[in-house]
Amino acid sequence: MPLVRISLMEGKPAGFGAKVGRIVYETMMETINVPQGDRFQIVTEHEASGLLYDPGYLGIPRSDGIVIIQMTISEGRTLEQKKALYKGVAERLHLELRVRMEDVFINLVEVRKENWSFGNGIAQYVT
């Protein structure tokens, strides 16, 4: 059910975006009960003029190593699950890919289950 958009600056090593996607997906399975096989991701690399961010908003020092992750998910997760997701993604990106935790920006967009069609023009989650 999640659709994940990952945006980062161009110039990363080959496969970096795919590795970010793997970490995000595995962490979603562990923290918010995303089913195995439910992996739909769009990874986009941007020129500096195409990925704009505030380098100090809320007192968090960001760099061009920023990774912006937007997850569209079905509504219903608890606050504790969401916090575990944010923390887990940031920690794993830092440990496995050396992304600064300050550079991990995550946005969740929650939608009702009727807002998904996985193919064939059918709303699979609607009963």
Side-chain angles (χ1 to χ4, degrees):
M1 80 196 82
L3 172 62
V4 178
R5 296 178 181 275
I6 300 167
S7 297
L8 41 105
M9 292 286 187
E10 65 183 3
K12 299 287 188 207
F16 182 84
K19 290 175 184 176
V20 171
R22 176 187 51 80
I23 289 168
V24 169
Y25 173 63
E26 289 172 356
T27 307
M28 287 190 308
M29 287 194 307
E30 295 166 3
T31 59
I32 63 170
N33 302 316
V34 168
Q36 187 168 354
D38 192 356
R39 183 177 182 186
F40 299 89
Q41 300 178 330
I42 301 164
V43 179
T44 309
E45 293 188 28
H46 300 268
E47 295 179 4
S49 64
L51 184 59
L52 308 175
Y53 62 92
D54 188 292
Y57 184 68
L58 295 177
I60 301 168
R62 292 174 194 83
S63 74
D64 282 350
I66 193 165
V67 176
I68 298 176
I69 303 163
Q70 184 177 55
M71 303 174 193
T72 302
I73 64 173
S74 293
E75 59 189 6
R77 276 31 178 246
T78 66
L79 178 58
E80 292 75 25
Q81 287 176 306
K82 293 174 190 178
K83 286 180 175 181
L85 173 64
Y86 304 147
K87 183 177 181 179
V89 168
E91 287 179 347
R92 287 191 61 190
L93 288 175
H94 178 69
L95 292 172
E96 296 178 36
L97 298 179
R98 302 195 191 287
V99 175
R100 296 171 61 247
M101 289 183 65
E102 297 92 339
D103 286 333
V104 180
F105 181 103
I106 300 172
N107 170 242
L108 284 182
V109 178
E110 292 184 292
V111 301
R112 297 177 66 168
K113 290 190 176 198
E114 68 221 30
N115 293 310
W116 296 98
S117 173
F118 293 88
N120 297 322
I122 301 169
Q124 284 84 0
Y125 288 153
V126 178
T127 56

